[in-house]
Amino acid sequence: MLRYAMIGGGPGAFVGGVHRRALALNGQARLVAGCFSRDLEKSRVLGAELGLDGDRVYATPEELARLEAGDIDFAVVVTSNEAHYPNVKACLQSGINVMCDKPFTHTSAQARELVELARERRLVLAVTYTYAGYPMVRQMREMIARGDVGEVRFVNCEYPQGWLAEPLETTGHVQASWRADPERGGGTLSLGDVGSHIEYLVPHVTGLELTRLAARLDSLVEGRVLDDNGVILTEYDTGARGMYWYSQAATGAVNGLKLRVFGDRGGLEWFQEDPDHLRYTPLNEPARIITRGTPDLLPGAMDYSHTPAGHPEGWLLAFANLYRSFCDTLATGAAPDFPTGEDGLRGVRFMEACLESSRGDTAWIEVGGE
Amino acid sequence: MLRYAMIGGGPGAFVGGVHRRALALNGQARLVAGCFSRDLEKSRVLGAELGLDGDRVYATPEELARLEAGDIDFAVVVTSNEAHYPNVKACLQSGINVMCDKPFTHTSAQARELVELARERRLVLAVTYTYAGYPMVRQMREMIARGDVGEVRFVNCEYPQGWLAEPLETTGHVQASWRADPERGGGTLSLGDVGSHIEYLVPHVTGLELTRLAARLDSLVEGRVLDDNGVILTEYDTGARGMYWYSQAATGAVNGLKLRVFGDRGGLEWFQEDPDHLRYTPLNEPARIITRGTPDLLPGAMDYSHTPAGHPEGWLLAFANLYRSFCDTLATGAAPDFPTGEDGLRGVRFMEACLESSRGDTAWIEVGGE
Amino acid sequence: MLRYAMIGGGPGAFVGGVHRRALALNGQARLVAGCFSRDLEKSRVLGAELGLDGDRVYATPEELARLEAGDIDFAVVVTSNEAHYPNVKACLQSGINVMCDKPFTHTSAQARELVELARERRLVLAVTYTYAGYPMVRQMREMIARGDVGEVRFVNCEYPQGWLAEPLETTGHVQASWRADPERGGGTLSLGDVGSHIEYLVPHVTGLELTRLAARLDSLVEGRVLDDNGVILTEYDTGARGMYWYSQAATGAVNGLKLRVFGDRGGLEWFQEDPDHLRYTPLNEPARIITRGTPDLLPGAMDYSHTPAGHPEGWLLAFANLYRSFCDTLATGAAPDFPTGEDGLRGVRFMEACLESSRGDTAWIEVGGE
Amino acid sequence: MLRYAMIGGGPGAFVGGVHRRALALNGQARLVAGCFSRDLEKSRVLGAELGLDGDRVYATPEELARLEAGDIDFAVVVTSNEAHYPNVKACLQSGINVMCDKPFTHTSAQARELVELARERRLVLAVTYTYAGYPMVRQMREMIARGDVGEVRFVNCEYPQGWLAEPLETTGHVQASWRADPERGGGTLSLGDVGSHIEYLVPHVTGLELTRLAARLDSLVEGRVLDDNGVILTEYDTGARGMYWYSQAATGAVNGLKLRVFGDRGGLEWFQEDPDHLRYTPLNEPARIITRGTPDLLPGAMDYSHTPAGHPEGWLLAFANLYRSFCDTLATGAAPDFPTGEDGLRGVRFMEACLESSRGDTAWIEVGGE
């Protein structure tokens, strides 16, 4: 069984618990060390709850990295965004493999440095774009790869949420406050938080490579400095085109990530709030509803599917699937099938391009290449 | 009972029959004359089927306009788009009120001329933006007007169809051929055909006035000259923002007009393929499904609702509702509550602005004003 | 063009207007005479509104039948249920074809008499089980007939409504009052009103013949004498089995007629509130959504489909389809493809069997045969 | 941390893995011993994979019970149904608390004996009616308890599956074979497998107590001896009525457990395949969609909800919730909030009553009392 340490994920930090539960579900790795909070006392309390040895709870990530190198197989970095860069760097420098939460870093220079560091040290560096872990997202990817929709012509990906439709950052709401703070959010609020998922998902599923974009970032809620909504026009290497819409001010939306792909021989649609189904519309035929857990699944999707059809899986199991691939690579050297540091870098460069485009009144920006 | 003539709508022209059935449903007007086709013989055969006097079937719209003026209350112009302008003009010049199919005309100069002509002659000139006739569209408009969503911040309106995902225009398909012909289509294919509905619907429902847009028109199907897909970024007089997406190459989409409005106190969503329901999400409360035919309807919506809740109404009844308002105005002088020539003009100017923006690589174009 | 008279359908009687609109939509028949109300003055006012000659508005159905025989092609009987029998009888005795609203009569003896009378006089006698007029119901029937689900094993048909969840009959509500009155309702409230639709639809769609039933009729609302809910176990000639549930006290249900058919090679599901779609689940394959207006429709369904896919048709057009078949038979002698008096008789016998079973504590009752 | 042993759940036995993953998710208990298979070698291999000490893998449940008593806090019994009784008995006799899979036992005499044994020994005996672990099922229960639907008048609960629409038991399919074997299945196939969930869920959610039932059990698939479909009419202590339908031969159905409750002030509907939403229809108001993870949840539902709204939870988390309550009771003596042996007994008595009724041609059977 692999051993891991967690950096971040202290009391009240929702996502840390998710990472721990996903790993527990898989049963491939166990938590052995942590630096959960800037407040060592809080870290210690949580460490004790989680059954850690007291001397493996650390005051700083750097200390953890230095002292645990060799005793752990990987570290999970789930701090707030601005701390990803130093924490991942500390781990990599000590020779520790890393799973980092998304968005990866504030600047592409930081991301590039971390990717190069991992490459030099031959370490595994991964980023948790969770939605890639859903079986039906894999199904979609495999169906497109084998030509079920023909050549992809247009992609429409949207991700509306509504929880920031009010200025929660002015009310002391913890999550909202650090995300909406220009210093800590990395220049974006919702682009980093939800738009980044779109950016990863589209090429992952379709195989398209983004070449050009034009973005308008909006601050819909009065008084908000960063973006809480945005629209991005896209063009891809094959000539295909697309549009992205993300929002956290879409009053009444919940967690509405939806990906629609239109090819010359069919279309596909997947909606995150109903993740076990995929709508497939072959040209001039009735729509088909493909259901997780049935023999209609292609191999990769089947491999990610755990419970029988109609017994809904969900977000946590998608998380677990990502970790399973990650741990398989660590344990057996299996080829990576999870979002990597390179993907994280590409995501940061995308955000920089969107910000540049939006400052230029939705100017077109070339992306791609190195 | 009012009397009307029809120009266009000959054999094989689907939409002419729809206008006639909508008018028959209402029982307010009866067809008394027609010039259904360029081929007089075909016109005569149809006229006979429809019970017209043989001498009230005409060889040309001009002849009809000249000889029927005074004997009819209005003319319905449902020819192919490029003939709207001369036919409407002939009618107006003869003093005949007109209901014209959309999109209105090829150029805004034509549209402006017709609007001014109607104004001078004090004639009623209307344009059939059908979707305004749905009860739940009225409900949405009334709910927004009375503040149920607070101030509108963002509008997302999409209208994907898939029937032109193949190059039908190269196969002799009648509808596809004239629409995709640059000469006859007025410079756009799908922008005029479906995008125009979005353009009308958004300000109609929200009360917002468009001030600026940036459009990218796409020809997704190989070999197609005109647009079959497009994305438009929008800004409104209040500072609200929006995005429109229309397509006729969205493989597998059927007739997916969807309007989502997000305000600071709630959101609303309506989907044309399920027209009797409206999803209303008041801020921080459970979503509510408002159903046509229930006491939850506001007065204008109630007035457009004819069958009990759960007994679906549909597209033809929306058409009938528009005609009912139009006939009420003709019969009783009631204030117009239907899309007018001014709306048609605004629509043509919108299309011109989109074409200009797209030619300028999605340049921002100021619209609005005169 | 055919000419018809209407008996019933006076001011405030909702369904009369529906019949008139459905006929107007088709344009095959025009209203020429009527006895709309027991109150001649009210009849006259409505007749004038509808453009009838004053002398063709009658004080009694009998008078209408006597004086209009020969001048009309058919009569539409849309009075309250208890008056169906005398009114239909008067028409048939005068040699007038009849379309009668459902449920047909109070007793099977009455129904049998009318059926025999029509047979003797070689008159067309039809009953408006509206839901048979939906294109996708025809699609379902044709798919089953050609074997798309294999042999039918089980049928589940439910029809919940909620509008009688309150004791409206005690509040002066007109519709509720006569329906809930044991004298006028014919021994049942909701069994006649909605259960009757299930009874007709199942054999119509599946081809199964009912042989045995066991019913429990419930009066869920306190103080109500007649049934407002019921469950019926069924068995058919092929050995197939089924269950029916109808209700008008299902708080929150709207008009939820749903038919599910399970065969050894596939299943089918149709829901009246979304009438343009059919869910087809071939054994061991993904579910397919068949959409009205697409080339996937079989010929009979296509014949009933009028607007393009995604342009919703609805209840009124289903009504119109029934009338079109009826008028075709009258005008051209086309084979009947609409619910007939025999169907109405079978429906009344079904209700009698349900009442008998329920009185016998859900005893099994043999049905079928003559 | 609690320690548990597993009896059953060997290689290929799907549900054992589910229990283990659910327990791992919670992190309250760890697996320390097992008798996973009748084949000790297979047990040992799995035990090793799961990290057990070799000497804590046993040849028989009895041996496990005898030797582990005192060293474990509870045993999980997930063998095939016919072995529940001896295995649970062995555990209880050794003083071990038990979580047993459903359906509980073959006969009510067995169930009663186990319940009494647990009572005498003051042991905790629970049964995994999984669906009670869903947050929105708890929400439904709490809403009904506080009167949101008023007095419950009618309950419709259905649970169709389609996976036994073919005679899989004749093809060597493992799961199908033992379930369909009259010797091993306990006299029922689908009544025990899926009908049992309905039986538990209805009183759990509504608070109603079943007093009388009439059942027809069907064998729809040719050659099948046991039931694969059934309809049950029900009556409750308050006078409320209901109907249950379960099936495993409903071709195309997946795992369609749906519960609809109708009261005099509102209705509620929950569908297991979309478990995070609840449809609530207050009388004469728009339907409301209540979403897991929002502030609309009542306390018990909130307590079972782990991920934010729109991040779907699913079946495995429902399982985990049941185990959390069970472990809380063991660890802290918290009042049981999970299905108990008494519930299991009631379930077996229900099945016996259904079988008796069905043998008596759907005769009414009194149930309830002791």
Side-chain angles (χ1 to χ4, degrees):
Chain A
M1 187 169 288
L2 301 170
R3 301 146 304 162
Y4 76 96
M6 178 166 280
I7 297 171
F14 163 73
V15 87
V18 171
H19 286 247
R20 291 192 298 265
R21 297 188 96 198
L23 282 156
L25 244 180
N26 289 336
Q28 293 173 295
R30 70 170 197 279
L31 180 68
V32 296
C35 168
F36 304 109
S37 167
R38 291 162 205 271
D39 178 335
L40 180 57
E41 199 40 50
K42 286 186 181 168
S43 263
R44 282 183 174 143
V45 170
L46 180 58
E49 275 174 30
L50 295 170
L52 297 192
D53 289 347
D55 59 359
R56 296 184 79 173
V57 175
Y58 298 92
T60 68
E62 292 71 21
E63 193 185 18
L64 182 152
R66 199 173 63 245
L67 296 176
E68 288 288 341
D71 293 325
I72 57 174
D73 296 288
F74 65 97
V76 171
V77 174
V78 287
T79 56
S80 62
N81 295 348
E82 84 276 15
H84 288 174
Y85 167 70
N87 293 337
V88 173
K89 188 171 174 180
C91 291
L92 294 174
Q93 286 179 326
S94 297
I96 301 171
N97 301 302
V98 176
M99 173 66 89
C100 179
D101 206 11
K102 47 66 36 192
F104 190 33
T105 60
H106 273 192
T107 73
S108 58
Q110 294 169 336
R112 193 172 289 110
E113 182 186 344
L114 296 179
V115 166
E116 283 166 10
L117 194 51
R119 201 180 294 148
E120 283 165 21
R121 301 294 192 98
R122 300 176 180 277
L123 292 168
V124 179
L125 173 58
V127 180
T128 48
Y129 291 106
T130 327
Y131 300 113
Y134 273 115
M136 299 316 278
V137 167
R138 268 209 173 175
Q139 174 74 9
M140 205 169 179
R141 183 173 61 152
E142 296 190 17
M143 288 179 71
I144 290 171
R146 73 169 187 183
D148 284 3
V149 304
E151 192 185 354
V152 174
R153 290 164 169 168
F154 194 75
V155 179
N156 182 326
C157 193
E158 67 180 35
Y159 194 163
Q161 294 183 337
W163 70 283
L164 289 173
E166 291 180 292
L168 294 185
E169 63 270 34
T170 64
T171 65
H173 185 288
V174 175
Q175 293 278 331
S177 297
W178 74 256
R179 289 175 202 265
D181 178 344
E183 295 304 307
R184 305 184 63 194
T188 82
L189 169 49
S190 304
L191 176 59
D193 201 19
V194 292
S196 56
H197 283 292
I198 296 177
E199 185 278 328
Y200 176 72
L201 205 58
V202 170
H204 172 71
V205 167
T206 62
L208 296 172
E209 190 180 325
L210 187 67
T211 54
R212 208 167 83 113
L213 67 78
R216 185 192 66 195
L217 275 52
D218 308 308
S219 298
L220 297 182
V221 173
E222 217 179 310
R224 187 165 282 158
V225 178
L226 299 180
D227 64 299
D228 51 21
N229 189 83
V231 186
I232 303 157
L233 304 182
T234 57
E235 296 180 10
Y236 305 93
D237 55 341
T238 64
R241 296 182 163 194
M243 62 182 294
Y244 303 164
W245 171 49
Y246 70 86
S247 187
Q248 294 187 305
T251 322
V254 184
N255 196 37
L257 175 61
K258 179 181 284 186
L259 175 55
R260 288 178 279 185
V261 175
F262 303 98
D264 61 0
R265 295 221 308 275
L268 279 166
E269 177 175 332
W270 178 76
F271 182 46
Q272 193 275 150
E273 295 185 24
D274 180 25
D276 278 359
H277 300 102
L278 190 58
R279 185 180 178 94
Y280 173 45
T281 46
L283 190 66
N284 301 326
E285 290 182 31
R288 296 180 196 173
I289 309 300
I290 301 175
T291 298
R292 191 196 52 70
T294 65
D296 306 313
L297 294 207
L298 294 173
M302 197 67 97
D303 179 55
Y304 265 18
S305 170
H306 303 290
T307 60
H311 297 70
E313 295 191 351
W315 185 69
L316 190 63
L317 275 78
F319 237 103
N321 281 330
L322 276 199
Y323 265 111
R324 185 159 64 92
S325 293
F326 177 74
C327 288
D328 284 348
T329 293
L330 294 184
T332 72
D337 187 18
F338 49 82
T340 64
E342 280 81 2
D343 295 314
L345 165 58
R346 196 193 61 214
V348 178
R349 296 182 67 219
F350 170 83
M351 289 192 283
E352 289 173 343
C354 288
L355 286 164
E356 181 185 349
S357 173
S358 193
R359 280 192 303 265
D361 202 13
T362 321
W364 284 99
I365 306 292
E366 308 285 328
V367 293
E370 250 309 288
Chain B
M1 189 171 285
L2 300 170
R3 299 147 306 161
Y4 77 97
M6 178 167 279
I7 295 172
F14 164 73
V15 84
V18 171
H19 285 248
R20 290 192 298 267
R21 295 188 98 198
L23 283 156
L25 244 181
N26 289 336
Q28 293 172 294
R30 69 173 198 279
L31 180 68
V32 296
C35 168
F36 304 108
S37 167
R38 291 161 205 270
D39 178 335
L40 180 57
E41 200 41 49
K42 285 186 182 166
S43 262
R44 282 184 174 142
V45 170
L46 181 58
E49 274 174 29
L50 295 170
L52 296 193
D53 290 345
D55 59 359
R56 298 184 78 171
V57 176
Y58 298 92
T60 66
E62 291 73 18
E63 193 185 15
L64 182 150
R66 203 173 60 242
L67 297 176
E68 288 289 341
D71 293 325
I72 56 174
D73 296 290
F74 65 95
V76 171
V77 175
V78 285
T79 56
S80 61
N81 294 348
E82 83 275 17
H84 287 173
Y85 166 69
N87 292 337
V88 173
K89 186 171 175 182
C91 290
L92 294 174
Q93 286 178 326
S94 297
I96 300 170
N97 301 302
V98 176
M99 174 66 89
C100 180
D101 206 11
K102 48 64 39 194
F104 189 33
T105 61
H106 273 193
T107 71
S108 58
Q110 294 170 337
R112 195 172 286 110
E113 183 187 342
L114 296 179
V115 166
E116 282 167 11
L117 194 51
R119 201 180 293 148
E120 283 165 20
R121 301 295 192 97
R122 298 176 182 276
L123 293 167
V124 178
L125 174 57
V127 179
T128 49
Y129 290 106
T130 326
Y131 300 113
Y134 273 115
M136 299 315 277
V137 168
R138 268 208 173 177
Q139 174 75 11
M140 205 168 178
R141 184 174 58 153
E142 296 190 16
M143 288 178 70
I144 292 171
R146 74 168 186 183
D148 283 3
V149 302
E151 193 184 354
V152 174
R153 290 164 169 167
F154 195 75
V155 179
N156 182 327
C157 193
E158 67 181 31
Y159 193 163
Q161 293 184 336
W163 70 282
L164 289 173
E166 292 179 291
L168 293 185
E169 62 271 35
T170 65
T171 65
H173 186 289
V174 175
Q175 293 278 332
S177 297
W178 74 255
R179 290 175 200 263
D181 178 344
E183 294 304 308
R184 304 184 64 195
T188 83
L189 169 48
S190 304
L191 176 60
D193 203 20
V194 292
S196 56
H197 282 294
I198 296 176
E199 184 279 328
Y200 177 71
L201 206 58
V202 170
H204 173 71
V205 167
T206 62
L208 296 172
E209 190 180 327
L210 186 67
T211 53
R212 208 167 84 116
L213 65 80
R216 185 190 65 193
L217 274 52
D218 309 309
S219 298
L220 298 180
V221 173
E222 215 178 313
R224 187 164 281 158
V225 178
L226 298 181
D227 64 300
D228 52 19
N229 189 82
V231 186
I232 303 157
L233 306 182
T234 57
E235 296 180 8
Y236 305 92
D237 55 341
T238 61
R241 295 180 165 195
M243 61 181 297
Y244 303 165
W245 171 49
Y246 69 87
S247 188
Q248 295 188 305
T251 322
V254 184
N255 196 39
L257 174 60
K258 181 181 282 185
L259 175 55
R260 289 179 277 185
V261 175
F262 304 99
D264 62 0
R265 295 222 306 276
L268 279 166
E269 176 176 332
W270 178 78
F271 182 44
Q272 192 276 150
E273 297 186 23
D274 180 24
D276 279 357
H277 300 102
L278 190 58
R279 186 180 177 93
Y280 172 44
T281 44
L283 190 67
N284 301 328
E285 292 183 29
R288 297 181 195 174
I289 309 300
I290 302 175
T291 299
R292 189 198 54 70
T294 64
D296 306 312
L297 295 206
L298 295 174
M302 197 66 98
D303 179 55
Y304 265 18
S305 170
H306 302 291
T307 60
H311 297 70
E313 294 192 353
W315 184 68
L316 190 62
L317 275 77
F319 237 103
N321 281 331
L322 276 199
Y323 266 112
R324 185 157 66 91
S325 292
F326 177 72
C327 289
D328 284 349
T329 294
L330 293 185
T332 70
D337 187 16
F338 49 81
T340 64
E342 278 81 2
D343 295 314
L345 166 58
R346 196 193 62 213
V348 177
R349 297 181 67 218
F350 170 83
M351 289 192 282
E352 290 173 344
C354 288
L355 286 164
E356 182 185 347
S357 172
S358 193
R359 280 191 306 263
D361 204 13
T362 320
W364 283 100
I365 306 292
E366 308 284 330
V367 294
E370 250 308 288
Chain C
M1 187 170 284
L2 300 170
R3 300 148 304 163
Y4 77 97
M6 177 167 278
I7 295 170
F14 163 74
V15 87
V18 171
H19 285 248
R20 290 192 298 266
R21 296 187 97 195
L23 283 157
L25 245 180
N26 288 337
Q28 293 173 292
R30 70 172 196 279
L31 180 68
V32 296
C35 168
F36 304 108
S37 167
R38 292 163 204 268
D39 177 336
L40 180 57
E41 199 41 49
K42 285 187 182 166
S43 263
R44 281 186 175 140
V45 170
L46 181 58
E49 275 174 28
L50 295 169
L52 297 193
D53 288 346
D55 58 0
R56 298 184 79 174
V57 175
Y58 297 92
T60 67
E62 291 73 19
E63 192 185 17
L64 182 152
R66 201 173 61 242
L67 296 176
E68 288 289 341
D71 292 326
I72 57 174
D73 296 290
F74 65 95
V76 172
V77 174
V78 287
T79 55
S80 60
N81 295 349
E82 83 275 16
H84 287 173
Y85 166 69
N87 293 336
V88 173
K89 186 171 174 181
C91 290
L92 294 174
Q93 285 178 325
S94 297
I96 301 170
N97 300 301
V98 175
M99 174 67 90
C100 180
D101 208 10
K102 50 59 46 189
F104 189 31
T105 60
H106 274 192
T107 71
S108 58
Q110 294 171 336
R112 194 171 290 111
E113 182 186 344
L114 297 179
V115 166
E116 282 166 12
L117 194 51
R119 202 180 293 147
E120 282 164 20
R121 301 293 191 98
R122 299 177 179 278
L123 293 167
V124 179
L125 173 58
V127 179
T128 48
Y129 291 108
T130 326
Y131 299 113
Y134 273 114
M136 299 316 277
V137 168
R138 269 206 171 180
Q139 174 74 12
M140 204 168 180
R141 182 173 60 151
E142 298 192 14
M143 289 179 70
I144 291 171
R146 73 167 189 185
D148 284 4
V149 302
E151 193 185 353
V152 174
R153 290 166 170 166
F154 194 75
V155 179
N156 182 326
C157 193
E158 67 180 34
Y159 193 163
Q161 295 184 334
W163 69 282
L164 289 173
E166 292 179 291
L168 294 186
E169 63 270 35
T170 65
T171 66
H173 186 287
V174 175
Q175 293 279 330
S177 297
W178 72 257
R179 290 175 200 262
D181 179 343
E183 295 303 308
R184 305 184 65 193
T188 83
L189 168 49
S190 303
L191 176 60
D193 203 19
V194 293
S196 57
H197 282 294
I198 296 177
E199 184 280 328
Y200 177 72
L201 206 59
V202 170
H204 173 71
V205 166
T206 62
L208 297 173
E209 191 180 324
L210 186 66
T211 53
R212 209 166 83 114
L213 66 78
R216 186 191 65 195
L217 275 51
D218 308 310
S219 297
L220 299 180
V221 173
E222 215 179 313
R224 187 164 283 158
V225 177
L226 298 179
D227 64 299
D228 51 20
N229 188 82
V231 185
I232 303 158
L233 305 182
T234 55
E235 297 180 9
Y236 305 93
D237 55 341
T238 63
R241 297 183 163 193
M243 61 181 295
Y244 303 165
W245 170 49
Y246 69 86
S247 188
Q248 295 188 305
T251 322
V254 185
N255 195 39
L257 176 61
K258 179 181 283 186
L259 175 55
R260 289 179 277 184
V261 175
F262 304 98
D264 60 0
R265 295 222 306 276
L268 280 167
E269 176 176 330
W270 178 77
F271 181 45
Q272 193 276 149
E273 295 186 25
D274 180 24
D276 278 359
H277 300 101
L278 190 59
R279 186 179 177 94
Y280 172 45
T281 45
L283 190 67
N284 300 328
E285 292 183 30
R288 297 181 195 171
I289 308 300
I290 302 176
T291 299
R292 190 196 53 71
T294 65
D296 305 312
L297 293 208
L298 295 174
M302 196 66 98
D303 179 55
Y304 265 18
S305 169
H306 303 290
T307 61
H311 297 71
E313 294 190 353
W315 184 68
L316 191 61
L317 276 79
F319 236 104
N321 280 330
L322 276 201
Y323 265 111
R324 185 158 66 90
S325 293
F326 177 74
C327 289
D328 283 350
T329 293
L330 293 185
T332 71
D337 188 17
F338 48 83
T340 63
E342 278 81 2
D343 295 315
L345 165 58
R346 198 193 59 215
V348 178
R349 296 182 67 218
F350 170 82
M351 290 191 282
E352 289 173 343
C354 288
L355 286 164
E356 182 186 346
S357 172
S358 193
R359 279 191 304 264
D361 203 14
T362 319
W364 283 100
I365 307 291
E366 308 285 327
V367 294
E370 250 308 290
Chain D
M1 187 170 290
L2 301 170
R3 301 147 303 162
Y4 76 97
M6 178 167 281
I7 297 172
F14 164 74
V15 86
V18 171
H19 285 248
R20 291 192 297 267
R21 298 187 95 197
L23 283 156
L25 245 179
N26 288 337
Q28 292 173 292
R30 70 171 198 280
L31 181 67
V32 296
C35 169
F36 304 108
S37 167
R38 291 162 204 269
D39 178 334
L40 180 58
E41 199 40 49
K42 285 187 181 166
S43 262
R44 282 183 174 142
V45 170
L46 181 59
E49 275 174 31
L50 295 170
L52 296 194
D53 289 347
D55 58 359
R56 297 184 80 174
V57 176
Y58 298 91
T60 66
E62 291 72 20
E63 193 185 17
L64 182 150
R66 202 174 58 243
L67 297 175
E68 288 289 343
D71 292 325
I72 57 174
D73 296 289
F74 63 98
V76 171
V77 175
V78 287
T79 56
S80 60
N81 295 348
E82 82 275 16
H84 287 173
Y85 167 70
N87 294 336
V88 173
K89 188 172 172 179
C91 291
L92 294 174
Q93 286 179 325
S94 296
I96 300 171
N97 301 301
V98 177
M99 173 67 89
C100 180
D101 207 8
K102 50 60 47 192
F104 190 32
T105 60
H106 273 194
T107 70
S108 57
Q110 293 170 337
R112 195 171 289 111
E113 182 187 343
L114 298 178
V115 166
E116 282 167 12
L117 195 50
R119 203 179 294 148
E120 284 164 20
R121 301 292 193 98
R122 299 177 181 276
L123 294 167
V124 179
L125 172 58
V127 180
T128 49
Y129 291 106
T130 327
Y131 300 113
Y134 273 115
M136 298 316 277
V137 167
R138 268 208 172 178
Q139 174 75 12
M140 205 167 178
R141 182 173 61 153
E142 297 191 14
M143 287 178 71
I144 291 171
R146 74 168 185 183
D148 284 2
V149 302
E151 193 187 352
V152 174
R153 291 166 170 167
F154 194 76
V155 178
N156 181 327
C157 192
E158 66 180 36
Y159 193 164
Q161 294 183 336
W163 70 282
L164 288 174
E166 291 180 293
L168 293 186
E169 62 270 36
T170 65
T171 67
H173 187 288
V174 175
Q175 293 278 331
S177 297
W178 72 258
R179 289 176 201 263
D181 179 343
E183 295 304 307
R184 306 183 63 193
T188 83
L189 169 49
S190 304
L191 176 60
D193 202 18
V194 292
S196 56
H197 282 293
I198 297 176
E199 186 279 330
Y200 177 72
L201 205 58
V202 170
H204 173 71
V205 167
T206 62
L208 295 173
E209 189 181 327
L210 186 66
T211 53
R212 208 165 84 114
L213 65 79
R216 186 191 64 195
L217 274 53
D218 308 308
S219 298
L220 297 181
V221 173
E222 216 179 309
R224 186 164 283 156
V225 177
L226 298 180
D227 64 299
D228 51 20
N229 190 81
V231 186
I232 303 157
L233 305 183
T234 56
E235 297 180 8
Y236 305 93
D237 56 341
T238 63
R241 298 182 162 195
M243 62 181 295
Y244 303 165
W245 171 49
Y246 70 87
S247 188
Q248 295 188 306
T251 323
V254 184
N255 197 39
L257 175 60
K258 180 180 283 187
L259 175 55
R260 290 178 277 184
V261 175
F262 303 99
D264 62 359
R265 294 223 307 276
L268 279 167
E269 176 176 331
W270 178 78
F271 182 45
Q272 191 274 150
E273 296 185 24
D274 180 25
D276 278 358
H277 300 102
L278 190 60
R279 186 179 177 93
Y280 172 44
T281 45
L283 189 68
N284 302 325
E285 290 184 30
R288 295 182 196 171
I289 309 299
I290 301 175
T291 298
R292 190 198 52 72
T294 64
D296 304 312
L297 294 207
L298 295 174
M302 197 66 98
D303 178 55
Y304 265 19
S305 169
H306 303 290
T307 61
H311 297 69
E313 295 191 353
W315 183 69
L316 190 62
L317 276 78
F319 237 103
N321 281 330
L322 277 199
Y323 266 111
R324 186 160 63 90
S325 292
F326 176 74
C327 290
D328 283 349
T329 293
L330 293 184
T332 70
D337 188 16
F338 48 82
T340 63
E342 278 81 3
D343 294 314
L345 165 58
R346 196 193 60 212
V348 178
R349 297 182 69 219
F350 171 81
M351 289 192 282
E352 290 173 343
C354 288
L355 286 163
E356 180 185 349
S357 172
S358 194
R359 280 192 304 265
D361 202 14
T362 319
W364 283 101
I365 307 292
E366 308 285 329
V367 294
E370 249 307 288

